[in-house]
Amino acid sequence: MALPEGDYYGMPDQGVKIGRGDVGELCTPETVRRTVDAGEIEMFQSVLRRYLPGAHGEVSSTLTCLYTMTPDSHFVIHSHPSDSRVAYACGFSGPGFKFAPVVGEVLADLIVGGKTAQGIGFLSAERFKRSPGA
Ligand SMILES: Cc1cc2nc3c(=O)[nH]c(=O)nc-3n(C[C@H](O)[C@H](O)[C@H](O)COP(=O)(O)OP(=O)(O)OC[C@H]3O[C@@H](n4cnc5c(N)ncnc54)[C@H](O)[C@@H]3O)c2cc1C
């Protein structure tokens, strides 16, 4: 839900699961903050009170999660520069799970046949290469 307060998502889950995809802290799996503070809980509660009052209630659990983001928020799908038997895909950020079947297909095409019928040019890792002198 794109709200004035930000991008929220949610689903029924023994009550309601609510999350936010447009804010976060730059971190690694080693440095991620695994606690959700009172201000963040109030942020979610106030959105529920305003837009889904029937779903507003006691907090049963909190969780932080990790996204891998690229600078342009598009995925990376690429063959290894020096070993065509290796291909990789990453940077799926928020919406990646639903693409898993086609990404798996593309990676198999690249490894087995060195090419794919899917238009993946815009997902090449080359797009982040610095131009000489940049
Ligand atoms: C809270 C949340 C909600 C989301 N909701 C949606 C949604 O509704 N729809 C959607 O399409 N996407 C959603 N996503 C995004 C989706 O989950 C990700 O984009 C996707 O899972 C990324 O796939 P991945 O293969 O890059 O990484 P992951 O799915 O994280 O897989 C990485 C795997 O590598 C393994 N691993 C890590 N280190 C090592 C190691 N050293 N050796 C071997 N294995 C290792 C991990 O155990 C893990 O199994 C959501 C993500 C989050 C966090």
Side-chain angles (χ1 to χ4, degrees):
M1 298 183 287
L3 303 172
E5 294 85 348
D7 291 349
Y8 287 76
Y9 62 86
M11 58 203 77
D13 178 28
Q14 295 167 350
V16 169
K17 171 180 166 180
I18 181 168
R20 231 184 130 166
D22 60 332
V23 291
E25 294 158 10
L26 206 55
C27 66
T28 67
E30 288 74 35
T31 63
V32 58
R33 174 169 60 91
R34 289 288 182 195
T35 53
V36 177
D37 63 35
E40 289 162 325
I41 290 174
E42 176 47 29
M43 172 183 75
F44 290 115
Q45 294 275 39
S46 69
V47 160
L48 286 175
R49 273 195 302 272
R50 179 161 186 197
Y51 298 101
L52 288 172
H56 173 259
E58 213 180 307
V59 176
S60 58
S61 64
T62 60
L63 187 70
T64 57
C65 65
L66 293 170
Y67 285 165
T68 46
M69 299 289 290
T70 61
D72 62 7
S73 297
H74 291 300
F75 314 153
V76 170
I77 303 181
H78 206 83
S79 292
H80 192 284
S82 54
D83 188 342
S84 61
R85 297 167 303 167
V86 178
Y88 60 92
C90 56
F92 291 104
S93 68
F97 183 75
K98 65 183 79 60
F99 295 98
V102 69
V103 170
E105 201 180 285
V106 167
L107 290 172
D109 291 345
L110 292 175
I111 292 165
V112 174
K115 60 182 177 11
T116 177
Q118 303 289 345
I120 60 164
F122 74 107
L123 300 174
S124 159
E126 297 282 323
R127 70 186 192 273
F128 300 122
K129 243 191 188 161
R130 283 178 192 278
S131 42

